[in-house]
Amino acid sequence: MYYYYYYYYYYYYYYYDPRRTNDLTSPLSRYRTGTPSADFMVVYASNAPEQFDWAVNDRIDEMVPFELPERQQRVDLLKSHLTAQLLGNDGATPITVDIWGENGEDVHGLIEEAADATKGFSGRQIAKLAVACQAAAYGQTDATLDADTFRETLASHVEQAAVKESWEAEAMREYSAKSS
């Protein structure tokens, strides 16, 4: 789950570090003295808000959760990002896209397949998948993205996401061991 804290500055700190707590609380201490103000807003954003020190959490007034995209949202994101990366090439070598029909219909069912495979992906991860599809197409001698190349790229990104998730799990275990 992604949390976005509405305030003015954007900070992303994944692991608790006392030095970082001071960095996070300084802007609030300088400007926010407990009196409401419409003059500024500080925004903290984190994938791991539980890692913030209590001194930081105590100064957060509003928390707004942003969930990961649901299946239909992933379909829409895939279509949008793939169209932008594959067809909006701004004067570069045109890419031949053999994964959908002329009217954008999912003739091979690849977008639906990708939406299922990318469960748990963020919008940013889906955008990076589309960029990787563009790179894969340009890696072909005729700049074509066909079904096999799309599936290989998708499988690679799903595998990479699993590796990154294992790194995150390991980091959380290390953090828990340090804080115990």
Side-chain angles (χ1 to χ4, degrees), residues 77-98:
L77 285 167
L78 284 160
K79 286 179 180 178
S80 174
H81 287 300
L82 286 169
T83 299
Q85 292 300 322
L86 300 175
L87 302 179
N89 51 25
D90 297 328
T93 304
I95 297 174
T96 304
V97 182
D98 287 342

Side-chain angles (χ1 to χ4, degrees), residues 59-72:
R59 289 170 171 83
I60 296 171
D61 294 330
E62 296 286 331
M63 292 191 331
V64 180
F66 286 84
E67 302 292 335
L68 292 172
E70 295 291 332
R71 186 178 189 286
Q72 186 56 48

Side-chain angles (χ1 to χ4, degrees), residues 135-177:
Y138 281 134
Q140 304 294 323
T141 56
D142 56 353
T144 299
L145 183 68
D146 59 17
D148 291 337
T149 305
F150 180 81
R151 284 189 177 106
E152 288 171 16
T153 306
L154 174 62
S156 174
H157 269 262
V158 169
E159 183 180 325
Q160 290 172 33
V163 169
K164 290 176 183 178
E165 194 172 302
S166 74
W167 293 344
E168 182 179 1
E170 178 62 28
M172 290 301 289
R173 281 193 296 276
E174 288 175 13
Y175 173 78
S176 294

